[in-house]
Amino acid sequence: MIIAGQPVSGTGDEIRGYDPAAGVDLEPAYRYGDDSHVDAACAAAAEAFGAYRATTAEQRAVFLETVADNIEAVRETLVPRAVAESGLPQARIAGEVGRTTGQLRLFAAVLREGSWNGARIDPAQPDRTPAPRADIRQREIPLGPVAVFGASNFPLAFSVAGGDTASALAAGCPVVVKGHDAHPGTSELVARAIAAAVSACGLPAGTFSLLFGSGPGLGTALVTDPHIKAVGFTGSRSGGTALVAAAAARPEPIPVYAEMSSINPVFLFDGALSTRAADLGRAFVASLTMGSGQFCTNPGLVIAVDGPGLDEFLAAARDALVDAPATPMLTRGIAQSYAKGVDALAAEADLVVRGSADGPEASCRAALFSTDAASFRASGVQQAEVFGSSSLVIRCADYADMASVAAALEGQLTATLQADEIDHPAAAALLPVLETKAGRILFNGWPTGVEVGYAMVHGGPYPATSDSRTTSVGARAIERFLRPVAYQDVPNALLPSAVADGNPDGLWRRVDGQLTRN
Amino acid sequence: MIIAGQPVSGTGDEIRGYDPAAGVDLEPAYRYGDDSHVDAACAAAAEAFGAYRATTAEQRAVFLETVADNIEAVRETLVPRAVAESGLPQARIAGEVGRTTGQLRLFAAVLREGSWNGARIDPAQPDRTPAPRADIRQREIPLGPVAVFGASNFPLAFSVAGGDTASALAAGCPVVVKGHDAHPGTSELVARAIAAAVSACGLPAGTFSLLFGSGPGLGTALVTDPHIKAVGFTGSRSGGTALVAAAAARPEPIPVYAEMSSINPVFLFDGALSTRAADLGRAFVASLTMGSGQFCTNPGLVIAVDGPGLDEFLAAARDALVDAPATPMLTRGIAQSYAKGVDALAAEADLVVRGSADGPEASCRAALFSTDAASFRASGVQQAEVFGSSSLVIRCADYADMASVAAALEGQLTATLQADEIDHPAAAALLPVLETKAGRILFNGWPTGVEVGYAMVHGGPYPATSDSRTTSVGARAIERFLRPVAYQDVPNALLPSAVADGNPDGLWRRVDGQLTRN
């Protein structure tokens, strides 16, 4: 573990990375921390907060870029370790390094652009009747130290220096990460890169710490530490729900941004099926099996009107899946959960095809099932996420049946429509329902693959996330760790520069409700 | 009650307005609703949601203006009824009508300006390597039906057509209000004005309903109704905390915006005390006793370094308070709570002065206490809000002692500094602490009086509110009822106009991260 810049060994259970492709445990052993480590990391974060939030946006931008540089500097060590600890292909992990450093650099750009300050000015109106108006200005400030829970499925991009950490650090919040047990070695390498950047940039050591520990134990202690003011989490519905409950039960409740569970429905319209059913079937399988299906946005549900088009789609999917090799999953536990989820589906739905059973111990044997709309609507099991390459096709009687499935859906990260131009009226009729169900709506694509940009929403109504008003990917993720403060008649010399006279920071500001850069 | 445009009589306990100035109950009697009324109102709101959110911003702006016009049209009836039900002076209530209609018109202006759409476009990059970038666009959509709890202390501006209702309706969310027992007649008049506007604007009847009922009974049923997607509340800490807990325990948890408890510390610096202690003492009393102290932003705490300046401040405050008449409080229950709160303070702190005891049955006899910093820091009672004209002065040994009080404060709506230019260094040292404690920081003013504008923050860390990232007053209140949706490769003809090609709505949009109106 790294606590405020110092390497610290834990006192609890031993954990090791596990190479699911080779089926072997990895050296060295790491140990779980205890409550004293949580206390130390959170106290250091609280102590660092004042000085860290007083840094300029430019200083924090340089810091994030330094973290990115430091991660790139250890790429030769980092990539093989992350490949070994995840069983994910080298190209995928190499891409994830770029995604991780790209996220850090995106937030550096966001900091420099400056709109995150939310600067607003309502100038005084001393002559207003019946009462004069005071001068009121508003800007955003950071919430305080943030706890981040690394995810298993993106050992870099959603882990120690992932989007939650990058956006919280950008906002001016010190970060305490609980690293995921699945990749302690990768976590250590990245944590060292961050700690080195903290030091090189002259920031307080408590700006960043990495801990290891169990979720119910150390994780709960972290979320309930009084110094922690917000939480970022990507993981299971049960894990996220437990953290939300723990945060709500604090004497001072705090926000939890938990990205949890989504089956990412894909709606196939008749026109699209009539022109490209087989292509869709193959592309679907490619999305379904990528990374052993271990994506939050894996297409776990396909909805279409029954008929020859859907048959053709299923035939193509069957052909593509039947010989698909069983591929390594991140951990033995995830592989066991996947097998259980598939068994539960098999008890309720019709099997279309399983992939090949040949694979290492902790591997994912793809599975495709089918059911009908009435059965789906009546079932809890069929709507539960099965993390891995498992999907369920719903044969609908007609578009009204399809709409009833859409209406019955829980909240989702994504909803996809495969629709040709001839399908646009039917698609348009479904769109308002899908908007209320999902954070991102895609046409003629596949939900896996989440762009990191300014317009992305990686979020959605419960249980996709615990807070549908936010995104955990993309520029707006910084907003989760900010809150507004108003300044009434504060003398200019004491105002933060974001809202000072003369716009010294050159920001876009809302003056009397109108955006201006003057 | 008004359910989806229809007047409905309840089946439960009878309630009546109470005129605290005259000490008499008012006609007519109203009755509490039951769960069937909650079901009906929420189902109607859910049914209305699709059509209501499909209205244009201009249509909703006209609707809000029609509500404002309708309220003004019944002003002659409304003002005396609200005066009778609140015991508040006629000029205050008349001003509150203007504030209420002003809020509605502010949100009409916000709707027309259009930035609430949060329009963002990351254009496709088909030639990007290694993979092309999809076209991704983002806008905000309404959460769904909103439950609003009317507050007792602003029978118009924080009640049936208050800021929560106005901002939720602006966002495109139908609203179900639980009217406050303290002003059922006022609530009915305003509800009829809204329902008439719903009808005149051709909106679905379920866009608005008004219910009466107990908080633990009907209020809980309302918050846990599955159709309700967010809650606005202004009231007590216990009431708000109960609603937050009920919302968190739902199968689908929803956000609760509860504005609860604040004692609004006022810091008097030495320079200010040396030049204007007596003026400050008198102005403090004016703020403290206005409206019988029944403001969320009432100055319940004064912090200063002990010495002749503070003595002079206290002497002036004592002189101003000693003859202050006991003034009516909103309800008998509030007057009883006030008396209990004052008794609890009296048991721990030194009495400076009480106001006159002469007044009606449910009245507020002002109270001023003093204590020292160590006693305050060690006490829960001294930091608890006493709703009414009660305040506590903390005599500090020095500025370090003052800072220790600031650090020990719970979250607040406001923090005020009375500081001359000579005090600026000391004030500047305290500002970073106060930013982490309060939603609004004032210089040389008094916290009562909350401007409704673009830059106002009426919010703050827990327990001031349940969500420090938001404001319940001012333009940004609309953001509480919106969530972002991303559209990936959606054909232009199917895109919402806010993010369509050519910017048909003429909005400020963020394109590749840069604000533009093109």
Side-chain angles (χ1 to χ4, degrees):
Chain A
M1 304 189 290
I2 307 267
I3 298 180
Q6 298 304 313
V8 175
S9 286
T11 53
D13 291 353
E14 223 175 71
I15 54 166
R16 282 164 203 270
Y18 169 69
D19 182 338
V24 296
D25 287 319
L26 298 167
E27 294 300 327
Y30 294 81
R31 296 184 79 114
Y32 277 176
D34 57 35
D35 285 359
S36 74
H37 299 113
V38 173
D39 291 348
C42 295
E47 200 189 318
F49 179 47
Y52 184 58
R53 84 178 184 92
T55 55
T56 63
E58 176 61 27
Q59 286 172 313
R60 292 201 297 286
V62 169
F63 167 49
L64 295 176
E65 290 167 339
T66 307
V67 174
D69 293 345
N70 289 356
I71 289 173
E72 277 164 1
V74 295
R75 173 192 281 271
E76 299 300 306
T77 319
L78 183 61
V79 170
R81 179 76 195 187
V83 167
E85 288 186 327
S86 67
L88 293 167
Q90 162 129 8
R92 148 70 194 274
I93 291 294
E96 208 182 311
V97 173
R99 182 192 175 95
T100 305
T101 55
Q103 285 178 159
L104 290 158
R105 296 195 171 105
L106 173 72
F107 285 109
V110 165
L111 283 171
R112 292 191 174 109
E113 194 274 341
S115 292
W116 63 272
N117 284 286
R120 292 172 170 240
I121 301 178
D122 291 346
Q125 295 175 351
D127 301 328
R128 190 183 65 172
T129 54
R133 184 172 85 172
D135 178 288
I136 302 178
R137 307 181 184 219
Q138 182 184 132
R139 68 154 178 165
E140 300 279 338
I141 68 167
L143 288 177
V146 170
V148 170
F149 288 73
S152 62
N153 61 337
F154 281 83
L156 297 160
F158 282 81
S159 191
V160 177
D164 284 341
T165 297
S167 54
L169 289 174
C173 299
V175 169
V176 180
V177 174
K178 184 184 108 48
H180 199 282
D181 287 1
H183 50 267
T186 304
S187 297
E188 184 198 350
L189 287 167
V190 174
R192 287 184 182 275
I194 300 175
V198 168
S199 173
C201 295
L203 300 171
T207 300
F208 174 81
S209 292
L210 168 71
L211 304 174
F212 293 118
S214 78
L218 184 134
T220 303
L222 184 55
V223 168
T224 54
D225 187 284
H227 295 306
I228 295 296
K229 300 301 181 190
V231 178
F233 170 88
T234 301
S236 70
R237 184 168 180 169
S238 59
T241 302
L243 292 186
V244 168
R250 289 167 48 123
E252 179 199 6
I254 56 172
V256 175
Y257 305 105
E259 193 254 272
M260 297 182 286
S261 170
S262 181
I263 55 173
N264 305 295
V266 178
F267 295 85
L268 309 176
F269 287 85
D270 292 352
L273 281 177
S274 75
T275 57
R276 49 194 171 98
D279 286 348
L280 286 172
R282 286 185 287 269
F284 160 67
V285 168
S287 176
L288 178 68
T289 55
M290 194 186 345
S292 302
Q294 299 165 120
F295 288 97
C296 319
T297 53
N298 196 53
L301 196 67
V302 176
I303 305 110
V305 175
D306 209 0
L310 181 56
D311 290 340
E312 193 185 342
F313 171 89
L314 284 169
R318 195 183 297 115
D319 289 349
L321 265 179
V322 71
D323 294 325
T327 46
M329 298 199 87
L330 295 156
T331 69
R332 282 168 282 212
I334 287 173
Q336 286 156 6
S337 295
Y338 173 76
K340 266 192 217 163
V342 169
D343 288 348
L345 270 181
E348 287 203 5
D350 302 321
L351 181 67
V352 176
V353 65
R354 295 289 314 251
S356 163
D358 293 341
E361 178 199 2
S363 66
C364 177
R365 183 184 177 195
L368 184 60
F369 298 93
S370 73
T371 189
D372 58 47
S375 167
F376 176 80
R377 288 194 305 267
S379 168
V381 165
Q382 294 177 36
Q383 194 159 170
E385 182 184 29
V386 179
F387 191 68
S389 301
S390 168
S391 193
L392 175 65
V393 177
I394 307 182
R395 296 177 183 273
C396 296
D398 50 28
Y399 280 155
D401 212 23
M402 238 164 96
S404 78
V405 169
L409 288 171
E410 294 188 299
Q412 305 290 339
L413 293 171
T414 69
T416 299
L417 300 91
Q418 296 288 352
D420 286 358
E421 198 157 343
I422 196 174
D423 301 314
H424 282 185
L430 200 60
L431 267 179
V433 178
L434 297 183
E435 285 178 330
T436 68
K437 299 289 182 180
R440 177 165 56 115
I441 294 171
L442 300 85
F443 263 66
N444 298 331
W446 299 95
T448 43
V450 181
E451 279 292 341
V452 180
Y454 291 92
M456 176 51 64
V457 177
H458 191 63
Y462 184 90
T465 78
S466 58
D467 191 338
S468 72
R469 298 159 296 173
T470 62
T471 176
S472 65
V473 173
R476 290 194 62 188
I478 191 176
E479 299 173 14
R480 300 175 299 165
F481 303 113
L482 297 167
R483 51 170 275 259
V485 174
Y487 302 84
Q488 182 168 326
D489 289 335
V490 173
N492 191 58
L494 299 184
L495 278 173
S497 60
V499 290
D501 290 344
N503 197 6
D505 294 350
L507 301 176
W508 282 103
R509 311 199 289 188
R510 197 168 284 279
V511 177
D512 260 338
Q514 300 302 313
L515 278 173
T516 169
R517 222 163 179 169
N518 299 325
Chain B
M1 305 189 291
I2 307 268
I3 298 180
Q6 299 303 313
V8 174
S9 286
T11 53
D13 290 353
E14 223 175 71
I15 53 165
R16 281 163 203 272
Y18 168 69
D19 183 339
V24 295
D25 286 319
L26 297 167
E27 295 298 328
Y30 294 81
R31 297 186 79 115
Y32 277 177
D34 58 34
D35 285 359
S36 73
H37 299 112
V38 173
D39 290 349
C42 295
E47 199 189 318
F49 179 48
Y52 184 58
R53 86 178 184 93
T55 54
T56 63
E58 177 61 28
Q59 287 172 313
R60 293 202 296 287
V62 169
F63 167 51
L64 294 176
E65 289 167 339
T66 306
V67 173
D69 293 345
N70 289 356
I71 289 173
E72 277 163 2
V74 296
R75 174 192 281 271
E76 300 299 307
T77 320
L78 184 61
V79 170
R81 179 76 196 188
V83 167
E85 287 186 328
S86 68
L88 292 167
Q90 162 128 9
R92 147 73 195 272
I93 291 294
E96 208 182 311
V97 173
R99 182 192 176 93
T100 305
T101 56
Q103 285 179 158
L104 290 158
R105 295 196 172 104
L106 173 71
F107 285 108
V110 166
L111 282 171
R112 291 191 175 109
E113 194 274 339
S115 292
W116 63 273
N117 284 286
R120 291 173 171 241
I121 300 178
D122 290 347
Q125 295 175 351
D127 300 327
R128 190 182 66 172
T129 54
R133 184 172 83 173
D135 177 289
I136 301 178
R137 306 180 184 221
Q138 182 185 133
R139 68 153 178 168
E140 300 278 338
I141 69 167
L143 288 178
V146 170
V148 170
F149 288 73
S152 61
N153 61 338
F154 280 83
L156 297 160
F158 282 82
S159 189
V160 178
D164 284 340
T165 297
S167 54
L169 289 174
C173 299
V175 169
V176 180
V177 174
K178 184 184 106 51
H180 199 282
D181 288 1
H183 50 267
T186 305
S187 296
E188 184 198 349
L189 287 166
V190 173
R192 287 183 183 276
I194 300 174
V198 167
S199 172
C201 295
L203 299 172
T207 301
F208 174 80
S209 292
L210 168 70
L211 304 174
F212 292 119
S214 77
L218 183 134
T220 303
L222 184 54
V223 168
T224 55
D225 186 285
H227 295 306
I228 296 296
K229 301 300 181 189
V231 178
F233 170 88
T234 301
S236 69
R237 185 168 179 169
S238 59
T241 302
L243 292 186
V244 168
R250 289 167 47 121
E252 180 199 6
I254 56 172
V256 175
Y257 304 104
E259 193 255 273
M260 297 182 287
S261 171
S262 181
I263 54 174
N264 304 296
V266 178
F267 295 85
L268 309 177
F269 286 85
D270 292 353
L273 282 177
S274 75
T275 58
R276 49 194 171 99
D279 285 349
L280 286 172
R282 286 185 287 270
F284 160 66
V285 169
S287 176
L288 178 67
T289 56
M290 194 186 341
S292 303
Q294 299 165 120
F295 289 97
C296 319
T297 54
N298 196 54
L301 195 66
V302 176
I303 305 108
V305 175
D306 209 0
L310 181 56
D311 290 340
E312 193 185 344
F313 171 89
L314 284 169
R318 195 183 296 112
D319 290 349
L321 264 180
V322 71
D323 294 325
T327 45
M329 298 200 86
L330 294 156
T331 69
R332 283 168 282 211
I334 287 173
Q336 286 156 8
S337 295
Y338 173 75
K340 265 190 219 166
V342 169
D343 288 349
L345 270 181
E348 288 204 2
D350 302 321
L351 181 67
V352 176
V353 65
R354 295 289 313 251
S356 162
D358 293 341
E361 177 198 4
S363 66
C364 177
R365 184 184 176 196
L368 184 60
F369 298 93
S370 72
T371 189
D372 59 46
S375 168
F376 177 81
R377 288 194 304 267
S379 168
V381 165
Q382 294 178 37
Q383 193 158 172
E385 182 183 31
V386 179
F387 191 68
S389 302
S390 168
S391 195
L392 175 65
V393 177
I394 307 182
R395 296 176 185 272
C396 296
D398 49 28
Y399 280 155
D401 212 23
M402 240 164 94
S404 78
V405 169
L409 288 171
E410 294 187 299
Q412 305 291 338
L413 293 171
T414 69
T416 300
L417 301 91
Q418 296 288 352
D420 287 358
E421 198 156 343
I422 196 173
D423 300 316
H424 283 185
L430 200 60
L431 267 178
V433 178
L434 297 183
E435 286 178 330
T436 68
K437 298 289 183 180
R440 177 165 58 114
I441 294 172
L442 301 84
F443 263 67
N444 298 332
W446 299 95
T448 44
V450 181
E451 279 293 340
V452 180
Y454 292 91
M456 176 52 65
V457 176
H458 190 62
Y462 184 90
T465 77
S466 58
D467 191 338
S468 73
R469 298 159 295 171
T470 62
T471 175
S472 66
V473 173
R476 289 193 62 187
I478 191 175
E479 297 173 16
R480 300 177 298 165
F481 304 114
L482 297 168
R483 50 169 275 259
V485 174
Y487 302 84
Q488 181 169 327
D489 289 335
V490 173
N492 191 57
L494 299 185
L495 278 173
S497 59
V499 290
D501 289 344
N503 197 6
D505 295 352
L507 301 175
W508 282 102
R509 310 198 292 188
R510 197 168 285 279
V511 177
D512 260 337
Q514 300 302 313
L515 278 172
T516 170
R517 222 163 179 169
N518 299 325

